Amino acid sequence: MIERKNMGRVSTILLALLSFGFFFATYNLLTMIIHNKASNLGSWESDGLDSSGDLKPKYHVALTATDAPYSQWQCRIMYYWYKKTKDMPGSDMGKFTRILHSGAPDKLMEEIPSFVVDPLPEGLDRGYVVLNRPWAFVQWLEKATIEEEYILMAEPDHLFVKPIPNLAYGSQPAGYPFFYIKPTEHEKIIRKFYPEESGPVTDIDPIGNSPVIIRRSMLEDIAPTWVNISLRMKDDPETDKTFGWVLEMYAYAVASALHGVRHILHKDFMQQPPWDFEVGKSFIIHYTYGCDYNLKENGVLTRDHFLVLLHQEISPYRLQGFLKLWLDL
């Protein structure tokens, strides 16, 4: 009888010990998983490491431009800010190329690293000069020696105000969501270029080609499709009228979706005054809209003044002084 009681007590203690041991092992396992997951995420976002713990690869900054005086001024300003932020902590910027699609060298060749490509055949762009952008990238990717594994497609009206890490994640590129690129609201038109068998329209990201950080090999695949879709869209009167000046942006979004490519969307990739009033966490200022300050005390950001300054014949140093005051840098 006493032996049975003792055996019962031993069994109870043994079960308790086993339960506690199982709980402790499970707790340690879950803690380790959570810790590793948090470490990987933190590395990717903050420490300049990818998910494998390796340093993130550099990206090549590439923009397309013409030899028009306005485009030249924009490129000079942009290149200044590239050089200013390139070597700051947190930057994954590599080399820089202005892809000049005017077909001939211009006076900035010695000042800005440039690569000359041909424009589209005369008349094919129908006055829509941006149509040369995808064709310029096709030529550059085929002919140039590019050391970096990734490419940042940028534009002359971008100002780098913070060092930009490589926001792409492995084979998934990074892009900026534009509030005016709405594929689902234009499904009838989109289906002319993205048939139903390709997938739902929601698979098309609300982006343009810029700013986008993407693997060079992926862009090499997408770029020819981007050219063809752009030309087809421009040749379709309904599409041309509906998309207007953002037609080429829609073409990139559709082309990348046709290749099964989805982008990580970063709202802090850039900001667009006057819709955005503070730099905040953004890396790029996109000054595509006119901006102005009204006559109220301390001024209120409106429109027009910024582009007026860019059109005036003023020195880059005077303009740079204005930018520093405006950005509070």
Side-chain angles (χ1 to χ4, degrees), residues 2 17 23 56 93 97 118 120 127 136 199 204 236 256 274:
I2 295 174
L17 288 173
F23 169 80
K56 289 191 294 184
M93 290 178 171
T97 299
D118 294 323
L120 289 168
I204 301 173
D236 182 77
S256 57

Side-chain angles (χ1 to χ4, degrees), residues 79 96-99 108-115:
Y79 186 55
F96 183 102
T97 299
R98 177 186 63 138
I99 308 172
L108 297 184
M109 300 298 292
E110 299 300 321
E111 181 179 341
I112 303 175
S114 302
F115 191 92

Side-chain angles (χ1 to χ4, degrees), residues 97-134:
T97 299
R98 177 186 63 138
I99 308 172
L100 183 63
H101 55 73
S102 300
D106 67 357
K107 64 182 182 180
L108 297 184
M109 300 298 292
E110 299 300 321
E111 181 179 341
I112 303 175
S114 302
F115 191 92
V116 179
V117 297
D118 294 323
L120 289 168
E122 187 175 356
L124 194 58
D125 64 7
R126 300 183 185 179
Y128 179 53
V129 68
V130 186
L131 213 59
N132 288 283
R133 181 177 293 152

Side-chain angles (χ1 to χ4, degrees), residues 36 69 140 149 151 188 218 220 225-226 231 261 289:
N36 287 339
W140 178 64
E149 182 184 355
I151 292 169
K188 178 185 174 184
M218 296 179 70
E220 288 171 349
T225 308
W226 180 22
L231 292 172
V261 175
Y289 300 101

Side-chain angles (χ1 to χ4, degrees), residues 44-45 166-169 172-177 207 211 213 263-270 283:
W44 177 52
E45 291 182 341
N166 187 343
L167 299 171
Y169 192 64
Q172 192 171 10
Y176 173 78
I207 60 172
I213 299 177
H263 297 68
I264 305 168
L265 302 180
H266 289 272
K267 291 184 178 180
D268 289 332
F269 209 149
M270 73 178 185
F283 300 107

Side-chain angles (χ1 to χ4, degrees), residues 73 308-315 318:
W73 272 107
V308 168
L309 276 173
L310 287 174
H311 278 295
Q312 290 176 350
E313 293 183 1
I314 57 177
S315 71
R318 183 178 167 196

